[in-house]
Amino acid sequence: MSDEPLPEPDRVPGAPHPREALRIIGQDAAVADFLAAAKAHRLHHAWLISGPRGTGKATLAWSIAKWLLSGGAESGLSTATDDPVVRRIRALSEPRLHLIRRPVDEKTQRLRAEITVDEIRRLQGFFHMSAAEGGRRVAIIDAADEMNQAAANALLKLLEEPPPAATILLVAHQPARLLPTIRSRCRELRLHPLGPEDMAGVLQGLGLDQDAARLAALSGGSVGEALRLAGQDGLAVYQRLIGLFAEYPRMDRRAAAQLAETAAGRASADGDPFDLVVTLIDRFLTRAARTGLMGAPLPEAAEGEAEVLSRIAPGPAAARLWAGAQAELSARARAGRAVNLDPSALVLDMLIGLANQPAL
């Protein structure tokens, strides 16, 4: 057997697990909503924590779990790091806490694609076995939108007849994928992308001081996305993309082909190169469209970005053109990838398509 630790699907590569976080940054409204309900003795049995990836949903869920199981005595959602309950939670040894996430296949030692019904049955067993011990019990499902149909139906039955003194925290990146009947039985805490100052503070705390401003600009307020970009050298790839449009509508086809080749690399623990390149093209087109309506975004995500975007998107007509290109080309590339077409050819097709856009 391998001595390597099993993968954690709820952990962003390059970052500590959310259960290790000491505080919640930039989500004061969601924290206030939860505390107001708890202190008014209106603690709902199920909470849906939603919002874009990387905005602190799991951190909030673990902070709520620590606060509830340690007695909720501290102000805010803070808890003392030397609290024995907090230490057990960080070690995944707290008996009153149950974590559900995508399981590891015992044969392949790889993560399954979905949360299965067996995981929800274990949750039912957890509530049944721990009922005799009394006290608050907490379950975290991360991410709830990764449940398959059978798991979702089993969870719905649990939510319809919730166990006493139980709190279920559902983390969801795409809550629309959940059954409407599940959503209707949860109280929602909606998280939003972090602002530039909060993003910079978090990234600097993770040792990304030098590139914090550009990573914050390119990641759209998502710490998880910023870490993914940092782990895959996304800023350098985006700089190359900006360079391709330096003389638009002319484009260096050789440089475009070389950029497209980077999308053909093998996926790793840091991410999928194809997904990275397509995401960066999406981000470039989105920022171009926004420039046409609101002016060049600041801070820049790459050297010379503001000048390039201002030139290719001088007004609303150009904004509409780039927004339409983003929707069409991105959908075409991802559809091609879904049927296993060559990733470098797909990206090159996107870039050539953009070069053939009418100049404004």
Side-chain angles (χ1 to χ4, degrees), residues 160-185:
E160 289 173 340
E161 298 181 11
T167 301
I168 303 176
L169 304 169
L170 289 77
V171 175
H173 311 303
Q174 296 177 289
R177 294 181 58 185
L178 293 172
L179 295 174
T181 43
I182 288 180
R183 298 200 305 269
S184 68
R185 285 165 173 77

Side-chain angles (χ1 to χ4, degrees), residues 231-242:
Q232 294 185 270
D233 208 12
L235 289 179
V237 176
Y238 190 70
Q239 185 70 65
R240 293 169 63 186
L241 184 60
I242 292 295

